[in-house]
Amino acid sequence: MRWMAEGNLVPFFDVVSSWDLTSHSFKNMMTTYCIGDSGEWCDYPLLGCVMKKAGYYVSFVTNQFVPNKDNSICGISGGFFLNEKALSDQQFDYRNTKMFEYDAEMLLEDFQRRKTSQHKEFIIYHFLGQHFAYSMRYPSKMGIFSHADINRPDLPIEDKKLIAEYDNSIYYNDYALNLIVENYKMKDAVIIYLSDHSERMFGPGNGKKYGRQTFENIDKDNAIENFEVPMWIYCTDKFKENHEKDYNSIVNNARLPYMTDALPHLIIHLAGIKTSSYNPKRDILSPQYERKRKRLLRNEVNYDQLFAY
């Protein structure tokens, strides 16, 4: 709230993910392909390649898709186009090589590494975030909520405990995001935060369900709880001063409908890159942005039609 009051943080209010599965969502967010374009995601340039060719030092700092030799399920299902050596080398100048128990630990080590960096940088921080089991996503000292804080008389204590653990994981996630802002707020920088998917947490109409029901039929409840995601853009004071037009566009367009598969076009715009891979119709900051584009969840269900009256 303080960042919003100071005019640095701009929340976006109508954002959905293209998929409720990290691996599929990542494929869309890491290429200039958007759902509805001809061909497949792999037919389009990878975002990291575009940024590297434009002269940015590209870092991918992840707590999930770390290159390793054990063929973990994360690496096989979602990280293959990130971890295959030739593709990784084309996209990234730097990769971290180990995972951390908690996301903030990953950040603090990376901040130390880049203390003396003079590069023009594009950095992707990929958290474990709120993946189940939620109690494993934060240190015990940051577990400030308990079942007694959950006002859900319709639920048993065990379910309330689960909600409290989820709330604690969000609290810790906010702590980690604050570390990023504090580390870069004195630079000419812009920070984009969003989730690759969301999860049910005993929401209305869902009975006692929590987590994701991936590949279930997508109805209103499923769309709200598994596909609607938070997104905000933080603009440092120097960015606001040096890029006033872009800052005003961020503020003025924050209520437009958006799907996260279009993220690369927003990034290319903010990076000041001129490329044929950029599509202004997919860039939420562009006057040509296609506001009525179909937002197809899993490339099959029109999100906006679910809520049409």
Side-chain angles (χ1 to χ4, degrees), residues 21-217:
L21 193 64
T22 297
S23 57
H24 289 56
S25 179
F26 244 73
K27 290 171 189 175
N28 291 331
M29 290 193 293
M30 295 293 283
T31 74
T32 56
Y33 168 81
C34 289
I35 290 177
D37 292 345
S38 60
E40 302 291 337
W41 69 274
C42 52
D43 297 325
Y44 288 71
L46 293 161
L47 176 61
C49 294
V50 173
M51 301 300 288
K52 276 191 70 172
K53 191 168 185 179
Y56 282 83
Y57 187 90
V58 181
S59 299
F60 182 44
V61 183
T62 173
N63 216 9
Q64 187 169 359
F65 294 138
V66 176
N68 54 54
K69 298 179 182 179
D70 63 2
N71 293 321
S72 69
I73 187 64
C74 288
I76 294 170
S77 66
F80 70 94
F81 76 100
L82 301 167
N83 290 346
E84 196 280 328
K85 188 177 187 319
L87 286 174
S88 180
D89 289 347
Q90 289 180 48
Q91 295 176 80
F92 311 115
D93 295 292
Y94 173 80
R95 297 286 306 274
N96 61 310
T97 56
K98 66 177 181 178
M99 292 179 64
F100 295 81
E101 185 173 8
Y102 304 117
D103 291 325
E105 296 173 345
M106 176 188 74
L107 293 176
L108 293 172
E109 179 172 282
D110 192 65
F111 296 162
Q112 284 295 118
R113 175 185 68 86
R114 66 180 63 256
K115 262 187 175 181
T116 59
S117 174
Q118 299 298 317
H119 299 293
K120 180 173 68 171
E121 294 193 85
F122 173 59
I123 308 163
I124 302 170
Y125 290 121
H126 176 215
F127 291 176
L128 272 175
Q130 285 80 52
H131 273 290
F132 186 82
Y134 312 118
S135 61
M136 298 174 62
R137 301 295 168 243
Y138 58 91
S140 58
K141 65 181 180 181
M142 299 198 74
I144 65 171
F145 300 108
S146 73
H147 71 275
D149 299 305
I150 308 304
N151 185 21
R152 287 291 302 272
D154 57 310
L155 296 177
I157 288 180
E158 288 306 310
D159 291 345
K160 292 180 182 180
K161 286 181 178 178
L162 197 65
I163 296 175
E165 291 169 356
Y166 184 72
D167 289 348
N168 286 329
S169 72
I170 293 176
Y171 178 73
Y172 181 74
N173 191 71
D174 287 348
Y175 163 74
L177 291 171
N178 183 70
L179 292 178
I180 295 176
V181 170
E182 290 297 322
N183 193 65
Y184 294 103
K185 71 178 183 180
M186 302 307 295
K187 301 179 182 293
D188 182 353
V190 59
I191 301 167
I192 302 172
Y193 168 74
L194 75 165
S195 298
D196 55 344
H197 58 76
S198 52
E199 296 196 356
R200 287 178 168 174
M201 186 49 57
F202 303 99
N206 290 323
K208 295 186 177 181
K209 291 182 180 179
Y210 66 90
R212 280 171 293 155
Q213 282 68 52
T214 304
F215 303 119
E216 279 192 5
N217 291 333

Side-chain angles (χ1 to χ4, degrees), residues 250-298:
I250 290 169
V251 172
N252 294 333
N253 294 353
R255 293 188 177 274
L256 297 180
Y258 192 63
M259 190 158 72
T260 58
D261 63 333
L263 180 66
H265 301 280
L266 166 63
I267 291 172
I268 291 170
H269 174 139
L270 291 172
I273 297 172
K274 304 297 182 183
T275 171
S276 59
S277 301
Y278 167 74
N279 184 350
K281 291 183 179 180
R282 300 294 182 256
D283 173 15
I284 196 170
L285 304 186
S286 169
Q288 300 176 53
Y289 178 63
E290 190 176 342
R291 303 181 181 203
K292 295 186 178 181
R293 170 197 173 205
K294 290 182 180 180
R295 294 188 283 176
L296 297 178
L297 311 180
R298 295 195 207 129

Side-chain angles (χ1 to χ4, degrees), residues 200 216-227 298:
R200 287 178 168 174
E216 279 192 5
N217 291 333
I218 303 174
D219 55 16
K220 284 185 179 181
D221 290 333
N222 191 322
I224 290 171
E225 301 229 7
N226 284 333
F227 291 89
R298 295 195 207 129

